[in-house]
Amino acid sequence: MTIEDDQALDTDNGTREPKKKRAGRPQGSSREMTTARILNSALTCFTRRGYANTTFKHVAQGAGMTSPAIYQYYSSKAELYGATLDLVYQRLIPEIQMASRADLNFREQIKVLLRATVELQANAPEATAFLSTVAVESHREEELRKYFMSRNSNVLEAIGGMFEQAKARGEIKSTRSNANLAMFFLGSTIGMVLYHNGSEDTSMQEGIETMIDLIDNRFFSD
């Protein structure tokens, strides 16, 4: 039975009714536009509902289409989650590339990344909120781990490379591993995002500038 046939059935008693207009992909929409709508809806659903409580029906409602239509794009909820994670990381990679410019010293590189977090929070708060929950979700849901590990490792490697270059230039004296230094940086930043999203009394801008004060030795009094 096709999707069209299924939609022609009365779901209460199984009798046929005249077919209604399908709510699949809207007419005139390109595949790229439809994919964008699905991912934006998924981002909202995963952020607000969490992975376990999100269904294709929720995502479909936000995208203005039917649940079966989403299966033409993503075969499972885990695959859709991975694609949503890719969407968010695509917004971060240009910022990491900008921060890793050779003409910036390490302090300036870190500041670029920190202030990019503020900008992302202001322009796409659900993206930062989503990122702040990814590690927890991947720990809770085994099917998500492969998506998290592969995507997150790219970010960690990029930031770890910045620490490695800073060591080589003599800009930092820490002997700790690049992986742990990258974890410290990302964990601190994501922690602030997570706390800020659950508070009405905090400013992400102020939190980031406090970290910058620490980096520039302006936090402690002499």
Side-chain angles (χ1 to χ4, degrees):
M1 179 182 293
T2 66
I3 293 173
E4 291 90 338
D5 290 336
D6 185 51
Q7 290 176 337
L9 294 177
D10 184 319
T11 55
D12 293 327
N13 56 30
T15 60
R16 288 189 174 275
E17 292 182 345
K19 293 182 181 179
K20 297 179 180 179
K21 184 178 179 180
R22 292 182 61 193
R25 191 174 78 183
Q27 292 183 354
S29 295
S30 68
R31 187 174 182 86
E32 292 76 16
M33 292 172 60
T34 303
T35 300
R37 284 205 318 280
I38 293 172
L39 292 179
N40 285 327
S41 177
L43 176 61
T44 298
C45 291
F46 287 135
T47 301
R48 298 182 183 180
R49 295 176 177 273
Y51 179 77
N53 293 323
T54 293
T55 66
F56 270 21
K57 181 178 180 180
H58 296 136
V59 176
Q61 288 174 341
M65 57 196 303
T66 63
S67 304
I70 294 183
Y71 282 100
Q72 300 176 29
Y73 297 82
Y74 302 100
S75 61
S76 68
K77 185 168 68 167
E79 183 183 353
L80 176 58
Y81 189 90
T84 305
L85 186 57
D86 280 340
L87 174 69
V88 176
Y89 275 165
Q90 285 167 9
R91 297 175 181 176
L92 288 178
I93 295 302
E95 303 298 340
I96 295 175
Q97 291 173 336
M98 183 181 298
S100 61
R101 282 167 30 204
D103 59 333
L104 294 178
N105 62 41
F106 187 65
R107 286 178 192 257
E108 294 305 316
Q109 288 177 330
I110 292 296
K111 291 177 189 178
V112 168
L113 284 179
L114 289 172
R115 287 174 174 145
T117 303
V118 174
E119 185 175 350
L120 184 62
Q121 173 70 26
N123 296 331
E126 285 187 337
T128 54
F130 174 78
L131 276 179
S132 69
T133 66
V134 169
V136 175
E137 292 281 27
S138 65
H139 179 75
R140 183 184 295 129
E141 307 287 346
E142 186 174 356
E143 60 186 342
L144 300 183
R145 290 178 190 171
K146 64 178 181 179
Y147 296 101
F148 172 68
M149 295 303 295
S150 61
R151 275 72 168 181
N152 198 54
S153 63
N154 293 334
V155 175
L156 286 173
E157 287 176 8
I159 295 177
M162 291 171 55
F163 279 100
E164 179 64 31
Q165 292 169 9
K167 288 178 182 178
R169 295 192 298 260
E171 294 182 75
I172 57 176
K173 59 183 179 181
S174 176
T175 58
R176 292 178 174 80
S177 71
N178 297 329
N180 283 328
L181 290 172
M183 178 188 67
F184 161 73
F185 173 77
L186 283 177
S188 300
T189 307
I190 291 173
M192 277 197 290
V193 172
L194 187 61
Y195 188 91
H196 171 67
N197 286 333
S199 171
E200 297 180 355
D201 303 322
T202 59
S203 164
M204 194 66 194
Q205 176 77 46
E206 290 290 326
I208 291 297
E209 291 301 327
T210 300
M211 280 192 72
I212 291 175
D213 286 343
L214 283 167
I215 292 170
D216 286 339
N217 298 320
R218 296 194 304 262
F219 186 79
F220 297 101
S221 59
D222 294 333

